[in-house]
Amino acid sequence: MLGAMSALATASVFLDLLARDAAAIEYDGPVVAARVAGAGADELAELESAKRVALEVRATLARSRRREAELVALFETAGDLAALRDLDAVLKAIVSRAHTLIGADVTYLTLEDPDQADTYMRVTHGSVSAHFQSLRLPMGAGLGGLVAQTAKPYVTSNYPQDARFHHTTEIDDAVGEEGLIAILGVPLTLGSRVIGVLFAANRTARPFARHEITLLSSLAAHAAVAIDNARLLQATRDALGELRGANELVRAHSESVERAAAVHDKLAELVLRGGDVEGIAAAVAEALAGGLVVVDADAVVTAVAGDVALLEVLVPATPSAPATGAVLGGARELIALSAATGHAVRSGDLVVAAVAAAAEPLGALILRAPESFSDVDQRILERAALVVALHLLMRRSEAEAAERLGGDLLDDLLAVPVRHTSTLAERARRIGVDLDRPHIVVAADAAPADRPRAHFAAGRLAGAEGGLAGSHEGRIVVLLPGDDPSAAAQRVHTALRGGLAHPVTVGAGGPKSDVAAYADAHAEAVKCLGALHALGRAGGAAAPCDLGFLALVLGGGDPGDVVRRALGPLIDYDAKRGTDLLGTVEQYFAAGRSLGRTGEALHIHVNTVTQRLERTARLLGPDWQEPARSLEIQLALQIRRVMGL
């Protein structure tokens, strides 16, 4: 009975020690106390046996607590992964937990760098060396390089002395600077691929237990999952970003297509409604929010819209932006480049789109682009160039058809003798020409190379003024309504000379309102042309009234017009003031331009003669005594005296 009670007392003592988690050395206390009290050998043996059992129970409890802590750490790590926290935060937590659970001095994690074919330090805990924290481990070098290469854990209790590893100066210096001795490394694997290494290291020599290797391997597996999750999450984010970008691109493209289609529809409607180039230019300038200039194949401005200050860039010598009719020589190279590439070209803030039909250049659109000018705007400008080309071709076809009709009618009107006079007026009315009104016939000589363009310009002018244009006897002939042949000659000359490589000479005859008399007006115009060439005035424009007394020689002039043209200012002055400047001038020429003899003949002082001649110079111009001019004046005086005008 006493033996049983003693055993219970012994068990109670060791249970108390286990209950308060006493240190291992305290378990020797009951044995020492019994030995001091003189206990027998059997009792001491019983106490030693109970102590061994208690220590085994204590070790089992310690392992359970450690395993519990490890499981909690793994569970918390899994929770971090499930929460998809920041990758850096997850990796730092894994390295920190490894440091705590294993009780290592330093824990760290390296990751693979595929570009460099090595591993680099990503996270450290407990490290004090900057060199160590920036270390890179080549594949196969050092413990970590071997782990990365073989995908197997490696452990050493004394790395500097361990010959199993390939030592390098850089790695050994960094490990030595950190003071590491014992190192454990386990791989981070995804499938069969190693993406990094997780380490635990101590600054003293010590072995790592199997359970520590297992724990570090579990944490490494979690780290690999975290890295893979981060990669997948980033890939998802990238895909979403690309999808958003694609959606934005599709939306922007859709908007640009709709905008371009709307502008194209507007331009097409303008063309179908019979709009002109000016209207098209205005619509394009409004759509693109910039100044637009339309030029023909010779860089001559045919239309402007918006802010056309860009012309100052293309015509630097022009003080202000020129309007229709200016020649933009500075644009020719850009137009040629655009025609060659088939697309609009840009130079600074100018964008040039060539207008062409097949290989034939028709002109160009020149835009001063705003800062917001985009690829969509460029496509709109290129489409507008196509619309302008279509418009020009349509107008050319119309002009050619009208020219054929008008040319036939013009040939019949100018034929000698005129035939079918009863039907000519009706034929003219059908194409919008009223032959009941006075008309002027204008003939023009143009160089062969310039005739196509000159014919086109003549047809455009005739169409605008309700007349006819065509070719007759090798010349360009225009029939225009009006009663001022001199003004008509100048209008035709201005319309035809733009963009031509050679001068064009223009003569006019008429006005005539009788169908049978247009041939006579044509003959007058041809005589004017001949006179201009004979006088060395090729490239000019004139009507019989502009030729003075030569018109009488040519048989197409009115004597009254000759007198009026040469002496009109003097006639008007004498009539208004009651003076006799005409008589003074006539006597002056009769006296051989002698002031004295003129004064004697008129019974006036020489100073009076001088004053009258000065007044004459102010009225007729300072060149009135030049040979050609004085001859015209003297002939006019003779005609006036003979005919009593």
Side-chain angles (χ1 to χ4, degrees), residues 6 383 522:
S6 175
R383 284 189 177 186
H522 175 255

Side-chain angles (χ1 to χ4, degrees), residues 479-545:
L479 181 70
L480 297 177
D483 55 9
D484 188 344
S486 180
Q490 294 298 330
R491 290 202 307 279
V492 172
H493 187 259
T494 300
L496 267 57
R497 69 182 177 184
L500 298 186
H502 306 87
V504 59
T505 308
V506 176
K512 303 292 183 181
S513 56
D514 183 2
V515 171
Y518 288 125
D520 296 335
H522 175 255
E524 291 178 13
V526 172
K527 289 179 180 179
C528 280
L529 280 177
L532 289 173
H533 286 297
L535 293 172
R537 292 167 56 183
C545 60

Side-chain angles (χ1 to χ4, degrees), residues 339 354-363 385-386 388-394 396:
V355 177
E360 179 185 1
L362 300 176
L386 292 176
V388 171
L390 176 62
H391 170 79
L392 293 177
L393 290 177
M394 290 173 60
R396 178 188 290 181

Side-chain angles (χ1 to χ4, degrees), residues 530-606:
L532 289 173
H533 286 297
L535 293 172
R537 292 167 56 183
C545 60
D546 299 317
L547 298 178
F549 71 92
L550 287 176
L552 299 177
V553 176
L554 297 172
D558 181 355
D561 288 341
V562 174
V563 172
R564 190 73 195 169
R565 182 177 181 83
L567 303 175
L570 296 183
I571 295 172
D572 293 340
Y573 188 87
D574 285 345
K576 185 177 181 180
R577 303 294 180 90
T579 56
D580 189 21
L581 293 182
L582 281 172
T584 303
V585 171
E586 186 173 9
Q587 187 59 48
Y588 174 68
F589 283 122
R593 305 192 186 192
S594 169
L595 296 177
R597 290 199 297 273
T598 301
E600 291 176 1
L602 296 177
H603 306 290
I604 57 176
H605 195 274
V606 172

Side-chain angles (χ1 to χ4, degrees), residues 44-90:
L44 290 175
E46 184 179 350
L47 285 172
E48 286 288 346
S49 177
K51 184 186 78 170
R52 285 194 302 273
V53 172
L55 287 174
E56 290 176 358
V57 171
R58 180 179 181 276
T60 300
L61 291 174
R63 286 195 299 273
S64 297
R65 285 194 295 270
R66 185 178 64 249
R67 184 59 180 165
E68 179 183 0
E70 292 172 355
L71 291 174
V72 169
L74 293 175
F75 179 78
E76 290 176 349
T77 302
D80 291 341
L81 297 178
L84 288 177
R85 289 172 50 193
D86 177 70
L87 176 62
D88 287 338
V90 173

Side-chain angles (χ1 to χ4, degrees), residues 403 407 410-411 414 440-462 468-480 489 492-493 495-497 500 502-509 522 525-526 529:
E403 183 178 349
L410 194 59
D411 280 337
L414 303 182
I440 298 161
V441 178
V442 183
D445 283 334
D450 292 333
R451 283 176 187 168
R453 182 171 298 278
H455 272 296
F456 181 74
R460 185 164 55 187
L461 176 64
L468 297 173
S471 297
H472 189 72
E473 296 179 352
R475 299 182 185 86
I476 300 169
V477 179
V478 184
L479 181 70
L480 297 177
V492 172
H493 187 259
L496 267 57
R497 69 182 177 184
L500 298 186
H502 306 87
V504 59
T505 308
V506 176
H522 175 255
V526 172
L529 280 177

Side-chain angles (χ1 to χ4, degrees), residues 236-254:
T236 301
R237 288 171 177 167
D238 291 343
L240 289 174
E242 291 176 0
L243 182 59
R244 281 193 295 269
N247 287 336
E248 286 295 320
L249 185 62
V250 169
R251 183 185 61 79
H253 180 69
S254 177

